[in-house]
Amino acid sequence: MAMSMSEVNHQRIKTNGIWLHIAEHGTGPLVLLLHGFPEIWYSWRHQLKYLANHGYHAVAPDLRGYGDSDSPISPSSYTFMHVVGDLLGLIDHFGEHQAFVVGDDWGANIGWHMSLFRPDRVKGFVAIGVPYFPRIPTIKTVEAIRMAYGDNTHISQFQEPGRAERAFARYDCLTVMKKFMLATWTEFLAAPPGMEIIDFLPTPSALPSWITEEELMVFADKFQESGFTGAFNYYRAMDLNWELLAPWEGSKITVPTKFIAGERDFGFKSSGGTKDYVEGDLFKSLVPNLEVVIMDGHHFIHQEKAQQVSDEILSFIRKLSSD
């Protein structure tokens, strides 16, 4: 189901004061595909072709800081407000009022906040791997994560400018991609004391059937060019997001939403982890128009179980298209 690179149209679009690179395929209603960490547009290669073949205009940007898109220097330029602004500009560029939005990992987080800020612009949202968490009024996000999981999560380690860059630089980018994308760790992502997360994650000796060395090299080559600072800046803006999100405290996500997760994702089955949360009452009260789909798989499930996830996306947006 993967596609050749030549089937995709590439362009750079000026939006919200920066240039974003996008990959697009097909014609019809607009579907934005938002990648996570450490990914680029190419993580949606399967869905781009599938959605185009089923009558949709699939658009996968490199988010700001990634790939061939601009990478502002300051971490304060990576808030949800900035990135949602970029994406609304893309919708405007294509002359649309609304888009379907699909996001994994950070892309899911961005999609949740796009749905929160501008529900009038989101026809339906598919979140993969990361649910919507309400703002805790009494404690900033990074500190809350430290209290729950200790000082050695990737989120904590990525805060200090330069630290993760130095750690990642000990490996070639292909090895970095293998360590993250092929991770089968099922607990919340945290290294032992005194160890960097990139050193803690093993490098698999063999590739799983769902990805090839050539596909991994597409990611590695782009990160070799761009570096990782733009990607880390999303983590470095987490506490600034907390400050800016105060006006939306207690708000619900009213956009029709499907949440998809792999049951072997990081921390999914841990005590107090994602499974307990998405099956509990709080999540359903915050996202009242919600469907939850749990399938066998890990974090990058839209690549690992590409056909299954593509079918789930299509059935959801088709249902909303006919409403």
Side-chain angles (χ1 to χ4, degrees):
M1 198 169 70
M3 61 198 310
S4 72
M5 302 282 263
S6 62
E7 291 178 75
V8 182
N9 178 54
H10 293 267
Q11 56 173 317
R12 294 183 92 225
I13 294 169
K14 189 74 179 282
T15 171
N16 196 22
I18 64 168
W19 289 92
L20 282 193
H21 163 257
I22 64 130
E24 61 180 334
H25 196 31
T27 57
L30 179 60
V31 185
L32 288 182
L33 302 165
L34 312 179
H35 68 78
F37 174 90
E39 297 176 285
I40 54 171
W41 73 269
Y42 189 68
S43 68
W44 297 107
R45 59 199 176 279
H46 306 289
Q47 288 76 25
L48 278 165
K49 182 174 184 178
Y50 183 87
L51 291 168
N53 287 345
H54 287 87
Y56 291 89
H57 178 200
V59 174
D62 286 336
L63 297 175
R64 63 165 60 203
Y66 282 90
D68 291 320
S69 290
D70 285 356
S71 189
I73 292 168
S74 171
S76 64
S77 295
Y78 290 79
T79 69
F80 291 131
M81 283 72 178
H82 289 88
V83 185
V84 169
D86 298 346
L87 298 170
L88 293 173
L90 287 187
I91 298 174
D92 291 341
H93 171 85
F94 290 114
E96 301 286 351
H97 176 63
Q98 287 189 313
F100 295 104
V101 178
V102 182
D104 83 285
D105 186 78
W106 266 104
N109 229 335
I110 292 157
W112 285 118
H113 288 87
M114 192 171 179
S115 300
L116 180 67
F117 301 157
R118 294 301 302 271
D120 57 312
R121 306 299 302 270
V122 183
K123 176 91 169 150
F125 174 47
V126 179
I128 300 173
V130 176
Y132 177 67
F133 291 104
R135 180 182 186 272
I136 304 170
T138 54
I139 185 167
K140 290 189 176 182
T141 308
V142 176
E143 183 58 28
I145 291 166
R146 281 199 175 108
M147 287 176 68
Y149 300 105
D151 287 330
N152 287 297
T153 66
H154 64 299
I155 292 165
S156 294
Q157 291 191 1
F158 291 173
Q159 293 303 310
E160 181 192 326
R163 175 181 173 176
E165 284 90 338
R166 288 189 295 273
F168 277 46
R170 292 198 289 271
Y171 300 92
D172 63 87
C173 286
L174 179 61
T175 301
V176 172
M177 292 302 111
K178 287 179 177 177
K179 281 173 171 278
F180 273 95
M181 280 197 186
L182 310 183
T184 54
W185 182 254
T186 57
E187 300 303 312
F188 195 82
L189 197 54
M195 182 179 270
E196 296 295 313
I197 205 86
I198 193 69
D199 297 329
F200 169 66
L201 287 169
T203 307
S205 54
L207 297 183
S209 59
W210 55 268
I211 199 162
T212 66
E213 190 98 358
E214 292 72 26
E215 288 172 320
L216 284 163
M217 277 305 300
V218 175
F219 296 97
D221 287 345
K222 280 299 165 196
F223 280 103
Q224 184 63 45
E225 291 174 24
S226 68
F228 289 93
T229 298
F232 294 145
N233 279 341
Y234 285 80
Y235 295 91
R236 292 166 186 165
M238 286 174 82
D239 281 348
L240 179 55
N241 276 324
W242 180 88
E243 293 177 19
L244 295 171
L245 285 168
W248 286 273
E249 197 167 297
S251 295
K252 295 182 188 300
I253 305 284
T254 57
V255 170
T257 302
K258 177 179 272 191
F259 176 73
I260 301 172
E263 61 180 14
R264 290 182 285 163
D265 198 347
F266 302 119
F268 185 77
K269 287 186 173 175
S270 303
S271 176
T274 312
K275 183 176 191 290
D276 292 345
Y277 177 66
V278 300
E279 292 178 351
D281 293 336
L282 176 59
F283 184 47
K284 295 187 177 92
S285 73
L286 290 165
V287 191
N289 197 344
L290 175 70
E291 185 182 340
V292 174
V293 176
I294 309 303
M295 59 180 74
D296 182 48
H298 299 88
H299 188 62
F300 299 99
I301 198 160
H302 59 302
Q303 298 187 68
E304 181 185 2
K305 295 290 171 70
Q307 183 66 57
Q308 205 174 339
V309 170
S310 295
D311 288 341
E312 290 288 352
I313 294 168
L314 183 65
S315 67
F316 180 70
I317 63 178
R318 266 195 175 153
K319 183 178 71 181
L320 292 173
S321 299
S322 63
D323 286 354

